[in-house]
């Protein structure tokens, strides 16, 4: 019993030594104050640029959110959701009355339609000698003009003639792109009702699923046809809203070769665009950009190999992008190459190589510009504000949670409408701002202590088991002697 108690105590002590301490803001090298909108339960934050420059985990595992009492807040992190803006435009329709025979689903009977080369409707007239020579209004043909590809018509609104007090009719709306094939897309009852106080109650529009078309035909199913004073189409268009971008400009250092420059890069930076800032005008610089990697003993498929010799082991240059950057003066203005898109690349160092015949002088070394799309953090604004964003701890483990656990039940449009928090200036947390060996060696020390405690516990348990067996043998021997 005593052996078991001692062993359990030793195991508990080892677990205490190995268990990490409470997550505290002061354990992280950097912090930023977070201002959360008042009354908001779930808040979103575009991860500041400084986080990517100072985080010590490529996966941002060392990002934390704390309240004013140092309590850690739950959060989710991910790519910003795609957003779009809806624009609504009023388009006045050109109205062409159709008189004579009623329109049918097979087309307009006894009607001459003239259009311009660009499709613009010029006139609609009744053919001479048509069977129905009446001049009564039968339908209206509308020309909405040529629409851009991103626009869709979602509704038509009707304005009655002046001094129209009371009116009611059921109309059928058909649409077409060629004035030959017509599709019926909706019916509605249009009515205006005015009282003695000149107040009007009106149902003056017809709405439908947005679609693209140029021409429309309006015919009456009930009620008296009416030549409207104006008909206006409502066009809607969706415009994608680009997510916020961040960038950093890195200064280079000479490499081992005369035609090589190296750029130290934060590991957490998920660069997806790259560019050069050239120092001199009228410069055209063909370059190869890449990274140094360590050779692996695992053979690669020949399609994945670059056309270059690689050492059996050690570092080799892996070219990721070959292009030409320029800065040229034209008529007093400069024409400068822009940033190039690329797959997301995370590395501790970018390498620029020029041709050996065209090395870059030390005083003219270009700066490297990297761009990325910051992630969005969604967190529960619980606890006591103000909040604090902490980062910069190479020993920290990831604590981000799935979005469904941070904002359960929230729909996509609700997530897009979340109020945004803002970040303050970057603050260094004293001596923690430097990458001290404590952050790197803390986990191995705890692990060694745990193993030492476990081994000691096993040894003690074995010793007491041996003592117990020895005592049992001695007692057994004494019993046997007494019996004899």
């Amino acid at each position: 019993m005593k052996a078991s108690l001692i062993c359990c105590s030793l195991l508990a002590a080892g677990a205490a030594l190995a268990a990490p301490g409470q997550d505290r803001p002061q354990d992280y090298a950097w912090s930023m104050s977070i201002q959360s909108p008042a009354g908001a339960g779930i808040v979103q934050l575009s991860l500041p640029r400084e986080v990517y420059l100072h985080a010590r985990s490529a996966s941002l595992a060392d990002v934390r959110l704390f309240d004013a009492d140092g309590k850690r807040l739950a959060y989710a992190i991910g790519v910003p959701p795609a957003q779009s803006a809806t624009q609504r435009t009023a388009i006045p329709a050109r109205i062409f009355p159709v008189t004579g025979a009623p329109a049918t689903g097979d087309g307009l009977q006894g009607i001459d339609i003239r259009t311009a080369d660009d499709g613009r409707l010029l006139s609609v007239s009744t053919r001479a000698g048509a069977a129905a020579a009446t001049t009564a209004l039968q339908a209206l043909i509308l020309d909405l003009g040529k629409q851009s590809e991103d626009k869709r018509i979602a509704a038509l609104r009707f304005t009655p003639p002046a001094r129209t007090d009371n009116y009611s009719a059921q109309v059928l709306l058909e649409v077409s792109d060629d004035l030959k094939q017509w599709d019926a897309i909706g019916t509605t009852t249009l009515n205006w009702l005015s009282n003695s106080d000149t107040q009007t109650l009106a149902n003056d529009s017809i709405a439908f699923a947005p679609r693209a078309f140029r021409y429309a035909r309006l015919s009456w199913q009930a009620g008296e046809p009416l030549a409207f004073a104006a008909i206006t189409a409502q066009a809607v268009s969706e415009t994608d809203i680009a997510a916020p971008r961040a960038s950093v400009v890195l200064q280079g250092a000479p490499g081992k070769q005369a035609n090589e420059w190296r750029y130290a890069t934060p590991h957490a930076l998920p660069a997806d665009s790259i560019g050069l800032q050239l120092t001199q005008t009228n410069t055209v610089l063909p370059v190869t950009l890449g990274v140094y990697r360590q050779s692996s003993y695992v053979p690669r498929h020949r399609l994945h190999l670059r056309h270059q010799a690689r050492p059996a082991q050690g570092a080799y240059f892996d070219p990721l992008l070959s292009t030409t950057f320029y800065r040229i003066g034209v008529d007093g203005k400069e024409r400068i190459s822009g940033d190039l898109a690329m797959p997301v690349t995370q590395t501790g160092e970018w390498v620029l190589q020029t041709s050996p015949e065209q090395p870059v002088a030390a005083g003219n070394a270009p700066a490297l510009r990297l761009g990325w799309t910051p992630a969005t953090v969604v967190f529960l604004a619980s606890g006591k504000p103000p909040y604090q964003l902490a980062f910069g701890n190479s020993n920290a483990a990831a604590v981000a949670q799935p979005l469904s656990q941070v904002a359960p039940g929230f729909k996509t449009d609700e997530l897009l409408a979340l109020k945004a928090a803002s970040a303050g200036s970057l603050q260094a947390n004293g001596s923690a701002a430097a990458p001290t060996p404590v952050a790197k060696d803390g986990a191995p020390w705890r692990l060694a202590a745990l193993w030492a405690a476990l081994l000691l516990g096993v040894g003690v348990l074995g010793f007491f088991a041996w003592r117990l067996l020895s005592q049992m043998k001695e007692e057994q021997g004494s019993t046997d002697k007494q019996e004899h």
Side-chain angles (χ1 to χ4, degrees):
M1 179 66 69
K2 292 182 178 180
S4 301
L5 290 175
I6 294 176
C7 184
C8 292
S9 300
L10 291 172
L11 292 176
L17 288 172
Q22 181 182 1
D23 218 6
R24 303 170 302 172
Q26 55 266 36
D27 295 333
Y28 297 83
W30 305 93
S31 63
M32 303 177 74
S33 62
I34 301 298
Q35 298 297 326
S36 177
I42 303 294
V43 184
Q44 62 177 331
L45 171 69
S46 180
L47 209 58
R49 172 179 177 270
E50 288 77 9
V51 175
Y52 291 93
L53 301 184
H54 296 90
R56 295 179 187 163
S57 168
S59 61
L60 300 177
D62 58 334
V63 172
R64 296 289 189 273
L65 276 164
F66 296 98
D67 68 0
D69 294 330
K71 179 183 177 181
R72 195 173 70 197
L73 304 182
Y75 75 91
I77 185 170
V79 296
Q83 299 189 50
S84 61
T86 301
Q87 296 180 337
R88 300 183 183 276
T89 307
I91 302 174
R94 299 173 63 233
I95 305 173
F96 294 84
V98 177
T99 59
T104 67
D106 297 330
L108 298 175
Q109 303 297 322
I111 299 297
D112 286 326
I113 299 176
R114 293 178 56 243
T115 58
D117 294 337
D118 60 358
R120 182 167 49 92
L121 191 57
L122 298 177
S123 66
V124 176
S125 59
T126 304
R127 294 174 187 168
T134 177
T135 59
L137 180 65
Q138 301 294 337
L140 299 176
I141 295 182
L142 313 179
D143 184 359
L144 304 179
K146 186 177 181 180
Q147 307 298 321
S148 58
E149 294 183 359
D150 63 331
K151 283 188 177 181
R152 300 290 185 269
I153 308 299
L156 293 179
R157 186 173 182 179
F158 304 88
T159 302
R163 296 184 296 277
T164 301
D165 295 332
N166 297 304
Y167 178 79
S168 180
Q170 187 178 32
V171 297
L172 169 67
L173 179 64
E174 300 167 281
V175 299
S176 174
D177 288 320
D178 57 6
L179 294 169
K180 297 178 181 178
Q181 300 294 327
W182 295 88
D183 295 329
I185 63 172
T187 60
T188 192
T189 298
L190 300 176
N191 53 61
W192 288 265
L193 179 62
S194 299
N195 59 18
S196 57
D197 297 329
T198 67
Q199 294 178 341
T200 302
L201 180 64
N203 179 27
D204 59 356
S205 63
I206 178 172
F208 41 86
R211 61 178 295 172
F213 60 90
R214 174 159 189 174
Y215 309 105
R217 183 171 67 189
L218 193 72
S219 56
W220 278 258
Q221 295 183 317
E224 180 182 356
L226 180 67
F228 296 100
I231 301 177
T232 304
Q234 184 183 74
V236 295
S237 59
E238 297 286 337
T239 304
D240 293 334
I241 300 177
R245 297 280 295 171
S247 64
V248 63
V249 177
L250 307 175
Q251 302 300 323
K256 295 182 179 180
Q257 306 177 30
N259 65 327
E260 182 178 276
W261 289 85
R262 297 191 176 193
Y263 301 83
T265 309
H267 282 279
L269 201 153
D272 58 9
S273 69
I274 192 167
L276 285 185
Q277 292 184 354
L278 302 174
T279 59
Q280 292 184 328
T281 307
N282 295 332
T283 301
V284 176
L285 185 63
V287 301
T288 298
L289 290 162
V291 299
Y292 273 104
R293 305 187 189 278
Q294 293 294 323
S295 290
S296 173
Y297 290 105
V298 178
R300 298 185 178 183
H301 193 279
R302 59 191 180 94
L303 294 179
H304 295 163
L305 294 176
R306 308 282 181 182
H307 297 292
Q308 64 174 20
R310 291 183 179 177
Q313 58 182 353
Y316 68 92
F317 179 69
D318 186 9
L320 302 179
L321 179 67
S322 295
T323 187
T324 299
F325 292 98
Y326 56 86
R327 180 180 175 183
I328 304 173
V330 179
D331 298 330
K333 299 180 180 179
E334 285 191 331
R335 182 173 298 176
I336 302 175
S337 54
D339 292 355
L340 301 177
M342 64 179 182
V344 173
T345 303
Q346 289 182 291
T347 179
E349 182 183 66
W350 276 93
V351 179
L352 179 145
Q353 290 185 351
T354 62
S355 63
E357 296 78 15
Q358 193 179 0
V360 178
N364 298 327
L368 185 70
R369 182 174 57 251
L370 298 174
W372 70 96
T373 300
T376 296
V377 171
V378 177
F379 66 95
L380 180 64
S382 60
K384 182 180 178 181
Y387 304 115
Q388 186 178 17
L389 180 68
F391 47 95
N393 184 341
S394 56
N395 196 38
V399 297
Q401 299 182 8
L403 184 59
S404 59
Q405 295 184 14
V406 177
F410 277 65
K411 299 179 181 178
T412 302
D413 55 344
E414 293 176 318
L415 293 172
L416 290 173
L418 288 178
K419 294 182 178 180
S422 59
S425 58
L426 180 68
Q427 301 291 331
N429 292 337
S431 60
T436 60
V438 176
K440 296 183 179 180
D441 299 337
W445 181 87
R446 290 195 183 99
L447 187 60
L450 173 62
W451 278 108
L454 290 176
L455 291 175
L456 180 60
V458 172
V460 172
L461 182 61
F463 171 75
F464 279 100
W466 174 76
R467 287 292 305 273
L468 181 60
L469 289 174
S470 299
Q471 292 177 1
M472 292 175 63
K473 289 181 179 180
E474 292 178 357
E475 293 176 356
Q476 184 66 31
S478 302
T479 304
D480 293 341
K481 289 180 180 180
Q482 293 176 0
E483 291 178 354
H484 292 289

